[in-house]
Amino acid sequence: SDVCSSDLLPAICREAQVDYLDAGPIEIDGVGFAGSLGWYDLTTREHVLDAPMEAYRTGTWGGLRWTDHTYAIWNGPQGPMSMEDVAATLRARLAEHLATLTSRRIVVVTHTLPFADQIHRKEHPGWRFVNAFMGSLPLGDVIRADQRVVLALAGHTHLRSDLRIGRFRALVTPLGYRKEWAGSTPEAAVAAALKVVEV
């Protein structure tokens, strides 16, 4: 998809009757909401892992394949974009959206993870490899830089975290895949993932 003008996600959001925050921020009852799909730029990769840079570029290593490299092709004016360029473009867009908000309190929503402490570390080499594709730490810098942010919501990972990062809360509370519900009913899985946050 074209990183600057894709129609697919906005159309899906219109059909679901939700606001597509990557297209622009909104304000509800004095609280601003700004969002970004975000992307990964290898700033979350684990340097202790002995994987060559080419493996990260192709998304393949040790029998693993990161399929976003196959199915999520981002095009810019000069053709396919690198993951770093995609992340930088979306990061700049989020910064612009934050700058247009006049709200005194802001909630930021991203798909990929913006903070290092949200990355779950495990010893398994495959896990360490795919951590490179969890998010972008410079995206977190953009969020930290706006003193009005009171809450940062993220997704992408299927593991939960609830952190205090400086003055704001950073929350990841995914539903995950059905196979990850450990025998829970759909109702119980939703109840476990659901959070009410006062901002």
Side-chain angles (χ1 to χ4, degrees):
S1 67
D2 188 316
V3 75
C4 296
S5 61
S6 175
D7 294 328
L8 180 59
L9 291 177
I12 292 171
C13 289
R14 279 193 303 273
E15 183 177 339
Q17 298 181 352
V18 297
D19 290 293
Y20 178 56
L21 291 178
D22 200 69
I26 62 171
E27 185 174 304
I28 301 172
D29 295 333
V31 178
F33 291 82
S36 176
L37 174 64
W39 204 242
Y40 44 82
D41 54 10
L42 303 184
T43 54
T44 61
R45 80 182 166 98
E46 300 198 30
H47 295 276
V48 297
L49 185 66
D50 187 23
M53 187 55 68
E54 181 62 19
Y56 293 105
R57 295 278 168 222
T58 61
T60 56
W61 181 75
L64 293 170
R65 176 177 293 277
W66 185 253
T67 56
D68 280 2
H69 282 36
T70 302
Y71 297 111
I73 306 301
W74 299 88
N75 291 313
Q78 307 303 319
M81 299 171 68
S82 70
M83 62 187 99
E84 294 92 341
D85 286 344
V86 173
T89 299
L90 296 176
R91 183 171 66 245
R93 182 185 298 168
L94 177 63
E96 291 172 4
H97 291 171
L98 287 168
T100 66
L101 282 168
T102 59
S103 316
R104 295 177 61 186
R105 291 171 296 155
I106 294 176
V107 174
V108 175
V109 184
T110 62
H111 175 70
T112 53
L113 302 177
F115 305 113
D117 288 343
Q118 293 174 319
I119 310 297
H120 292 266
R121 309 292 180 183
K122 295 186 180 182
E123 292 299 318
H124 189 280
W127 188 280
R128 287 181 161 179
F129 177 68
V130 299
N131 268 346
F133 311 117
M134 288 296 104
S136 167
L137 302 185
L139 182 64
D141 294 339
V142 169
I143 296 169
R144 280 191 180 96
D146 195 310
Q147 299 297 310
R148 300 168 298 166
V149 174
V150 294
L151 177 65
L153 303 173
H156 197 41
T157 180
H158 293 193
L159 298 175
R160 295 173 187 151
S161 63
D162 190 349
L163 307 172
R164 175 61 56 176
I165 297 182
R167 69 194 176 278
F168 61 85
R169 185 178 181 185
L171 183 62
V172 180
T173 181
L175 185 59
Y177 296 131
R178 175 67 181 89
K179 64 183 179 182
E180 298 169 326
W181 294 354
S184 295
T185 64
E187 293 79 8
V190 169
L194 187 63
K195 302 288 183 189
V196 178
V197 180
E198 185 175 342
V199 295

